[in-house]
Amino acid sequence: MPLDLVPAPAAPKPVLLRDVPGADRVLTDDALALAAELQTRFNPKMQALSVARDRRQERADEGRLPDYLEETTGIRKGVWSCAAAPESLRDRRLCLAAAAEAGALAQARAAGASALLIDLDEATAPGFANLVAGIAALAEAPDDHTPMLIRTRPLERDEPALLIGGHPVSAGLFDLALIIAHLATPLAARDMGPNLQLGGIDGHREARLWSEILALAEERAGLAPNTIRVEVSLETVTAGFEMDEILWELRDRAIGLTMRRAPLTASYLRLMRSHPDAVLPALLDPEAAFLGTCAARMVKVAHRRGTHAIAEAPEGSDPATLRRPLDEGCDGLRIDGPDRIAVAREAIARALPGAHQIGRPRQYFRISPEMLLKPHAGPVTEQGLRATVHVAIAALAAWIAGRGPVRIGDSLHGLASADLARARLGQWLAHGAMVEMEGGDSRRMTADWLAALIHEEIVSLVEWLGPHSFHRGRYASAARIVQESACASPQPDHVARLAAPLLDTLD
């Protein structure tokens, strides 16, 4: 997409508010100047798109739910394809997510995955110092032949350590500026990218904005057009309706679609917050209702457009369970730790002997709008309620304290898990969900009961950790945010908006 012909205003001088180890190598004048230019040029469009999101939510509250767009019918029904994937990314059967941290990078590169996803948003421990150290580790890492994608933080999140015109720079634009300044040229010289994963896109207009942003970044870095390739992560309900349109906007640089269940479910809860018939149960089957339909449509659309569909690996270590997304047509699995490599490789060997299955003939069913909005059926159980309280507090406390994702049971839980858990508590409370108690009775969800459950969780954590570790772990702050946000009306857009100021004071 061509950039706007109207000249952008001159970028004000960026003001850096933090001094952290590695800043002299990472926060160079060129990197900060690019962040300032991107923020100055694109902030008005980001603000307009934020308002458009608010209007969509208002319409949903009034009962006017998303549908396929009439004005883009030609794109959905048209015959067109995305650009072919580069040779290095044609086999993405086993993608390993890792933090931007020296030890984690070394371990990930030695694991033998088909591709790596270096996640600055979820896997990397939050905080400005950790981000700077992560970019330094990526820049200083030895050349490696494993293809790499880098996930930036969302455009709508702030990076308070850098002010542009008196306001925090977009975290997504800041991450991109650092990637371009330190990684773009060496990666392009080896035909290895840079490749990005873009999350949080709410529709094709936001994809168009990203296309403009990346075009300008390429121009400033002296890269050929469409050198930067992108995978789009489907994380909102609206994006599920606009997959074709999103790929169309990014068609010359798209390398596939993927999906993340936690943010997509949290998006569903926000969209349907005024609809008591859309209350979700404690346990969600990823192959059913809106989650299963979105996954099926992802494969259908991606393959029709000649690009990859990469599945988030199901929880657990059963090869048969891990094989299901591949049996449904996905071209690979994204796993969250090297410890799952062996079992994932076994599942892939049985289900997907070739590099991908983009051209494999498959009979797809018609997906109606109602199917993309269908709620999951099932009860809200006492056990599920208590587990949700635990995840909400533990995952959010770890994020505020700068520790990153925590393992609870068999799964890693980061900021997305905390936001989802908080949103689930808010929905159950807002609609007075009936909770099936372990003794066989039912009890209606109330604010007083939620407060009692949170108090019980705090007591349990203090007994387990001791008062000192409890305090340093930021559990009390997390519990307060969870309770206040769950009881808020309307629900906040994302728990990070409430927790970020605490992270900034500790970082």
Side-chain angles (χ1 to χ4, degrees), residues 38 86 89 92 116-120 135 138 147-153 155 172-173 175-180 183-184 187 192-199 201 210-211 213-215 217-218 223 227-233 250 253-258 260:
L38 294 173
L89 287 171
R92 295 177 56 202
L116 301 180
L117 173 65
I118 309 306
D119 188 351
L120 302 177
I135 296 296
L138 284 169
M148 177 178 69
L149 293 84
I150 304 174
R151 176 182 170 91
T152 66
R153 291 174 293 172
L155 288 177
L173 294 182
D175 294 352
L176 177 64
L178 297 185
I179 292 167
I180 294 299
L183 303 173
L187 286 172
M192 297 290 285
N195 309 305
L196 306 178
Q197 184 188 94
L198 304 179
I201 291 177
W210 263 115
S211 182
I213 290 169
L214 296 176
E218 287 170 336
L223 301 176
T227 297
I228 302 174
R229 305 298 296 269
V230 298
E231 173 185 72
V232 175
S233 180
L250 296 163
R253 57 174 87 249
I255 51 174
L257 296 174
T258 189
R260 292 190 176 222

Coordinates of all heavy atoms in Angstrom, one line a residue, residues 38 86 89 92 116-120 135 138 147-153 155 172-173 175-180 183-184 187 192-199 201 210-211 213-215 217-218 223 227-233 250 253-258 260:
L38 N 7.7 7.2 13.5 CA 6.5 6.3 13.4 C 5.4 6.8 14.2 O 4.2 6.8 13.8 CB 6.9 4.9 13.7 CG 7.9 4.1 12.8 CD1 8.3 2.8 13.4 CD2 7.3 3.9 11.4
P86 N 8.9 -17.3 1.8 CA 10.3 -17.5 1.4 C 10.7 -19.0 1.7 O 10.1 -19.7 2.6 CB 11.0 -16.5 2.4 CG 10.0 -16.2 3.4 CD 8.6 -16.4 2.8
L89 N 10.8 -20.4 5.2 CA 9.6 -20.5 6.1 C 8.6 -21.4 5.4 O 7.4 -21.3 5.8 CB 9.0 -19.1 6.3 CG 9.8 -18.2 7.3 CD1 9.2 -16.8 7.3 CD2 9.7 -18.8 8.7
R92 N 7.1 -25.1 8.4 CA 6.9 -24.5 9.8 C 6.1 -25.5 10.6 O 5.2 -25.1 11.5 CB 6.1 -23.2 9.7 CG 6.9 -22.1 8.9 CD 6.2 -20.8 8.8 NE 5.7 -20.3 10.0 CZ 4.7 -19.5 10.2 NH1 4.1 -19.1 9.1 NH2 4.4 -19.1 11.4
L116 N 11.4 -20.5 15.0 CA 11.3 -20.0 16.4 C 10.4 -18.7 16.3 O 10.4 -18.0 15.4 CB 12.7 -19.5 16.9 CG 13.8 -20.6 17.0 CD1 15.1 -20.0 17.5 CD2 13.3 -21.8 17.9
L117 N 9.6 -18.5 17.4 CA 8.9 -17.3 17.6 C 9.4 -16.6 18.8 O 9.2 -17.1 20.0 CB 7.4 -17.6 17.8 CG 6.5 -16.4 18.2 CD1 6.5 -15.4 17.1 CD2 5.1 -16.8 18.6
I118 N 10.1 -15.6 18.6 CA 10.7 -14.8 19.7 C 9.6 -13.8 20.2 O 9.3 -12.8 19.4 CB 12.0 -14.1 19.3 CG1 13.0 -15.1 18.7 CG2 12.6 -13.4 20.6 CD1 13.3 -16.3 19.5
D119 N 9.1 -14.0 21.3 CA 7.9 -13.3 21.7 C 8.2 -12.2 22.7 O 8.5 -12.4 23.9 CB 6.9 -14.3 22.4 CG 5.5 -13.8 22.7 OD1 5.4 -12.5 22.6 OD2 4.6 -14.5 23.0
L120 N 8.2 -10.9 22.2 CA 8.4 -9.8 23.1 C 7.2 -9.4 24.0 O 7.3 -8.7 24.9 CB 8.8 -8.6 22.3 CG 10.1 -8.7 21.4 CD1 10.3 -7.4 20.6 CD2 11.3 -9.0 22.2
I135 N 16.5 -7.3 23.1 CA 16.9 -6.8 21.8 C 18.4 -7.0 21.7 O 19.0 -7.4 20.6 CB 16.5 -5.4 21.6 CG1 15.0 -5.3 21.6 CG2 17.1 -4.9 20.3 CD1 14.3 -6.0 20.4
L138 N 19.3 -10.6 21.0 CA 19.0 -11.0 19.6 C 20.0 -10.4 18.7 O 20.4 -11.1 17.7 CB 17.6 -10.4 19.2 CG 16.4 -11.2 19.8 CD1 15.1 -10.3 19.6 CD2 16.2 -12.5 19.2
P147 N 14.8 -20.4 11.0 CA 14.0 -19.2 10.8 C 13.4 -18.7 12.0 O 13.0 -19.4 13.0 CB 12.9 -19.8 9.8 CG 13.5 -21.0 9.3 CD 14.3 -21.6 10.3
M148 N 13.2 -17.4 12.1 CA 12.8 -16.7 13.3 C 11.7 -15.7 13.0 O 11.9 -14.9 12.0 CB 14.0 -16.0 14.0 CG 13.7 -15.2 15.2 SD 15.1 -14.5 16.0 CE 15.6 -13.3 14.8
L149 N 10.6 -15.7 13.7 CA 9.7 -14.6 13.7 C 9.8 -13.9 15.1 O 10.1 -14.5 16.1 CB 8.2 -15.2 13.5 CG 7.9 -15.8 12.2 CD1 8.3 -17.3 12.2 CD2 6.4 -15.7 12.0
I150 N 9.5 -12.6 15.1 CA 9.5 -11.8 16.3 C 8.1 -11.2 16.5 O 7.6 -10.6 15.6 CB 10.5 -10.7 16.2 CG1 11.9 -11.3 15.9 CG2 10.6 -9.9 17.5 CD1 13.0 -10.2 15.7
R151 N 7.6 -11.5 17.7 CA 6.2 -10.9 18.0 C 6.4 -9.6 18.8 O 7.1 -9.6 19.8 CB 5.4 -11.9 18.8 CG 4.1 -11.3 19.3 CD 3.3 -12.4 20.1 NE 2.2 -11.8 20.8 CZ 0.9 -11.8 20.3 NH1 0.7 -12.3 19.1 NH2 -0.1 -11.3 20.9
T152 N 5.9 -8.5 18.2 CA 6.0 -7.3 18.9 C 4.8 -7.1 19.9 O 3.8 -7.9 19.9 CB 5.9 -6.1 17.9 OG1 4.6 -6.1 17.3 CG2 6.9 -6.2 16.9
R153 N 4.9 -6.2 20.8 CA 3.8 -5.9 21.7 C 2.7 -5.2 20.8 O 3.0 -4.7 19.7 CB 4.2 -5.0 22.8 CG 5.1 -5.7 23.8 CD 5.7 -4.8 24.9 NE 6.6 -3.8 24.3 CZ 7.1 -2.8 25.0 NH1 6.7 -2.6 26.3 NH2 8.0 -2.0 24.4
L155 N 0.1 -2.4 19.2 CA 0.1 -1.0 18.9 C -0.5 -0.2 20.0 O -0.1 0.9 20.4 CB -0.5 -0.7 17.6 CG 0.2 -1.1 16.3 CD1 -0.6 -0.8 15.1 CD2 1.6 -0.5 16.2
G172 N 4.1 -1.2 20.4 CA 4.4 -1.9 19.1 C 5.3 -1.2 18.2 O 6.2 -1.8 17.6
L173 N 5.1 0.2 18.1 CA 6.0 1.0 17.3 C 7.4 1.0 17.8 O 8.4 1.0 17.1 CB 5.4 2.4 17.1 CG 4.1 2.5 16.3 CD1 3.7 3.9 16.2 CD2 4.2 1.8 14.9
D175 N 8.9 -1.3 19.7 CA 9.5 -2.6 19.4 C 10.0 -2.7 17.9 O 11.1 -3.2 17.7 CB 8.5 -3.8 19.7 CG 8.2 -3.9 21.2 OD1 8.8 -3.2 22.0 OD2 7.3 -4.6 21.5
L176 N 9.1 -2.3 17.0 CA 9.4 -2.3 15.6 C 10.7 -1.5 15.3 O 11.6 -1.9 14.6 CB 8.3 -1.8 14.8 CG 8.5 -1.8 13.3 CD1 8.8 -3.2 12.7 CD2 7.3 -1.1 12.6
A177 N 10.8 -0.3 15.9 CA 11.9 0.6 15.7 C 13.2 -0.1 16.1 O 14.2 0.0 15.4 CB 11.7 1.9 16.4
L178 N 13.2 -0.8 17.3 CA 14.4 -1.5 17.7 C 14.7 -2.6 16.8 O 15.9 -2.9 16.5 CB 14.2 -2.0 19.2 CG 14.0 -0.9 20.2 CD1 13.9 -1.5 21.6 CD2 15.1 0.2 20.2
I179 N 13.7 -3.4 16.4 CA 14.0 -4.5 15.5 C 14.6 -4.0 14.2 O 15.6 -4.6 13.6 CB 12.7 -5.3 15.2 CG1 12.2 -6.0 16.5 CG2 12.8 -6.3 14.1 CD1 10.8 -6.5 16.4
I180 N 14.0 -2.9 13.6 CA 14.5 -2.4 12.3 C 16.0 -1.9 12.5 O 16.9 -2.1 11.7 CB 13.6 -1.3 11.8 CG1 12.3 -1.8 11.5 CG2 14.3 -0.6 10.6 CD1 12.3 -2.9 10.4
L183 N 18.2 -5.4 13.8 CA 18.1 -6.7 13.2 C 17.8 -6.8 11.8 O 18.1 -7.8 11.1 CB 17.1 -7.5 14.0 CG 17.2 -7.6 15.5 CD1 16.0 -8.3 16.1 CD2 18.5 -8.4 15.8
A184 N 17.2 -5.7 11.2 CA 16.7 -5.8 9.9 C 17.8 -6.1 8.8 O 17.7 -6.9 8.0 CB 15.9 -4.5 9.5
L187 N 19.5 -9.6 9.1 CA 18.5 -10.7 8.7 C 18.3 -10.7 7.2 O 18.2 -11.7 6.6 CB 17.2 -10.5 9.5 CG 17.3 -10.9 11.0 CD1 16.0 -10.5 11.7 CD2 17.5 -12.4 11.2
M192 N 16.7 -14.0 5.7 CA 16.0 -14.6 6.9 C 15.0 -13.6 7.5 O 14.6 -13.7 8.7 CB 17.1 -15.0 8.0 CG 18.0 -16.1 7.5 SD 17.2 -17.7 7.3 CE 17.0 -18.2 9.1
G193 N 14.6 -12.6 6.8 CA 13.6 -11.7 7.3 C 14.0 -10.2 7.2 O 14.7 -9.9 6.2
P194 N 13.6 -9.4 8.1 CA 12.9 -9.7 9.4 C 11.5 -10.2 9.1 O 10.8 -9.7 8.3 CB 12.9 -8.5 10.2 CG 13.0 -7.4 9.2 CD 13.8 -7.9 8.0
N195 N 11.1 -11.2 10.0 CA 9.7 -11.8 10.0 C 9.0 -11.4 11.3 O 9.7 -11.6 12.4 CB 9.8 -13.3 9.8 CG 10.6 -13.7 8.6 OD1 10.4 -13.2 7.5 ND2 11.6 -14.5 8.8
L196 N 7.8 -11.0 11.3 CA 7.1 -10.6 12.5 C 5.8 -11.4 12.6 O 5.2 -11.9 11.7 CB 6.7 -9.1 12.4 CG 7.8 -8.1 12.1 CD1 7.2 -6.7 12.0 CD2 8.9 -8.1 13.2
Q197 N 5.4 -11.5 13.9 CA 4.0 -12.0 14.2 C 3.3 -10.8 14.8 O 3.8 -10.1 15.7 CB 4.0 -13.1 15.2 CG 2.5 -13.6 15.4 CD 2.4 -14.6 16.6 OE1 2.1 -14.3 17.7 NE2 2.6 -15.9 16.2
L198 N 2.2 -10.4 14.1 CA 1.4 -9.3 14.5 C 0.1 -9.8 15.3 O -0.7 -10.5 14.7 CB 1.0 -8.4 13.3 CG 2.2 -7.9 12.5 CD1 1.6 -7.1 11.3 CD2 3.1 -7.1 13.3
G199 N 0.0 -9.4 16.5 CA -1.2 -9.8 17.3 C -2.1 -8.6 17.6 O -1.7 -7.4 17.5
I201 N -4.7 -7.5 16.0 CA -5.3 -6.8 14.9 C -6.8 -7.1 14.9 O -7.3 -8.2 15.0 CB -4.7 -7.2 13.5 CG1 -3.3 -6.7 13.4 CG2 -5.6 -6.7 12.3 CD1 -2.6 -7.2 12.1
W210 N -0.9 -1.4 9.5 CA 0.4 -2.1 9.7 C 1.1 -2.1 8.4 O 2.4 -2.0 8.4 CB 0.1 -3.5 10.2 CG 0.3 -3.6 11.7 CD1 -0.6 -4.0 12.6 CD2 1.5 -3.5 12.5 NE1 -0.1 -4.0 13.9 CE2 1.2 -3.7 13.8 CE3 2.8 -3.2 12.1 CZ2 2.2 -3.7 14.8 CZ3 3.8 -3.1 13.1 CH2 3.5 -3.3 14.4
S211 N 0.4 -2.3 7.3 CA 1.1 -2.3 6.0 C 1.8 -1.0 5.7 O 2.9 -1.0 5.2 CB 0.1 -2.6 4.9 OG 0.7 -2.7 3.6
I213 N 2.8 1.2 8.0 CA 3.9 1.3 9.0 C 5.1 0.5 8.5 O 6.3 1.0 8.5 CB 3.4 0.8 10.4 CG1 2.4 1.7 11.0 CG2 4.6 0.6 11.3 CD1 1.7 1.1 12.2
L214 N 4.9 -0.7 8.1 CA 6.0 -1.5 7.6 C 6.7 -1.0 6.4 O 7.9 -1.1 6.2 CB 5.6 -3.0 7.5 CG 5.1 -3.7 8.7 CD1 4.5 -5.1 8.4 CD2 6.2 -3.8 9.8
A215 N 5.9 -0.4 5.5 CA 6.4 0.1 4.3 C 7.4 1.3 4.6 O 8.5 1.4 4.0 CB 5.3 0.6 3.3
A217 N 8.9 1.7 7.5 CA 10.1 1.2 8.2 C 11.1 0.6 7.2 O 12.3 0.8 7.3 CB 9.7 0.1 9.2
E218 N 10.6 -0.1 6.2 CA 11.5 -0.6 5.1 C 12.2 0.5 4.4 O 13.4 0.4 4.1 CB 10.7 -1.5 4.1 CG 10.2 -2.8 4.7 CD 9.2 -3.5 3.8 OE1 8.5 -2.8 3.0 OE2 9.1 -4.7 3.9
L223 N 15.5 -1.2 2.9 CA 15.1 -2.5 2.5 C 14.2 -2.5 1.3 O 13.5 -1.5 1.1 CB 14.4 -3.2 3.7 CG 15.2 -3.4 5.0 CD1 14.3 -4.1 6.0 CD2 16.4 -4.2 4.8
T227 N 10.2 -6.8 2.1 CA 11.2 -7.6 2.8 C 10.7 -8.1 4.1 O 10.9 -9.3 4.5 CB 12.5 -6.8 3.0 OG1 13.0 -6.4 1.7 CG2 13.5 -7.6 3.7
I228 N 10.0 -7.3 4.8 CA 9.4 -7.7 6.1 C 8.2 -8.5 5.8 O 7.2 -8.1 5.2 CB 9.0 -6.5 7.0 CG1 10.3 -5.6 7.2 CG2 8.4 -6.9 8.3 CD1 9.9 -4.3 7.9
R229 N 8.2 -9.8 6.3 CA 7.1 -10.7 6.1 C 6.4 -10.9 7.5 O 7.0 -10.8 8.5 CB 7.5 -12.1 5.6 CG 8.4 -12.0 4.3 CD 7.6 -11.4 3.1 NE 6.4 -12.2 2.8 CZ 6.5 -13.2 1.9 NH1 7.6 -13.5 1.2 NH2 5.4 -13.9 1.6
V230 N 5.1 -11.1 7.4 CA 4.3 -11.1 8.7 C 3.3 -12.3 8.7 O 2.7 -12.7 7.7 CB 3.5 -9.8 8.9 CG1 4.4 -8.6 9.0 CG2 2.5 -9.6 7.8
E231 N 3.2 -12.8 9.9 CA 2.2 -13.8 10.3 C 1.2 -13.0 11.2 O 1.6 -12.3 12.1 CB 2.7 -15.0 11.0 CG 1.7 -15.9 11.6 CD 2.3 -17.0 12.5 OE1 2.8 -16.7 13.6 OE2 2.3 -18.2 12.0
V232 N -0.1 -13.2 10.9 CA -1.1 -12.5 11.6 C -1.7 -13.4 12.6 O -2.2 -14.5 12.3 CB -2.3 -11.9 10.7 CG1 -3.4 -11.3 11.6 CG2 -1.7 -10.9 9.8
S233 N -1.7 -13.1 13.9 CA -2.3 -13.9 15.0 C -3.8 -13.4 15.2 O -4.0 -12.2 15.5 CB -1.5 -13.7 16.3 OG -2.1 -14.5 17.3
L250 N -2.3 -7.3 3.5 CA -0.9 -7.7 3.8 C -0.5 -8.7 2.8 O 0.5 -9.4 3.0 CB -0.8 -8.2 5.2 CG -1.1 -7.2 6.3 CD1 -1.3 -8.0 7.6 CD2 0.1 -6.2 6.4
R253 N 3.2 -9.5 1.8 CA 4.1 -9.8 2.8 C 3.6 -10.9 3.8 O 4.3 -11.3 4.8 CB 4.5 -8.6 3.6 CG 3.4 -7.8 4.2 CD 4.0 -6.6 5.1 NE 4.2 -5.4 4.3 CZ 5.5 -4.9 4.1 NH1 6.5 -5.5 4.5 NH2 5.6 -3.8 3.4
A254 N 2.4 -11.4 3.6 CA 1.8 -12.3 4.6 C 2.5 -13.7 4.4 O 2.7 -14.2 3.3 CB 0.3 -12.5 4.3
I255 N 2.7 -14.3 5.6 CA 3.3 -15.7 5.6 C 2.3 -16.6 6.4 O 2.7 -17.7 6.7 CB 4.7 -15.8 6.2 CG1 4.8 -15.1 7.5 CG2 5.7 -15.2 5.2 CD1 6.1 -15.2 8.2
G256 N 1.1 -16.2 6.7 CA 0.2 -17.1 7.3 C -0.7 -16.5 8.4 O -0.5 -15.3 8.7
L257 N -1.6 -17.3 8.8 CA -2.4 -17.0 10.0 C -2.2 -18.0 11.1 O -1.9 -19.1 10.9 CB -3.9 -17.1 9.5 CG -4.4 -16.2 8.5 CD1 -5.9 -16.5 8.1 CD2 -4.4 -14.7 8.9
T258 N -2.3 -17.5 12.3 CA -2.3 -18.3 13.5 C -3.4 -17.8 14.4 O -4.1 -16.9 14.1 CB -1.0 -18.4 14.2 OG1 -0.9 -19.4 15.2 CG2 -0.6 -17.0 14.8
R260 N -4.6 -17.4 18.8 CA -4.3 -17.6 20.2 C -5.6 -17.6 21.0 O -6.4 -16.7 20.9 CB -3.4 -16.5 20.7 CG -2.0 -16.5 20.1 CD -1.1 -15.5 20.8 NE 0.2 -15.7 20.2 CZ 1.3 -15.6 21.0 NH1 1.3 -15.5 22.3 NH2 2.5 -15.7 20.4

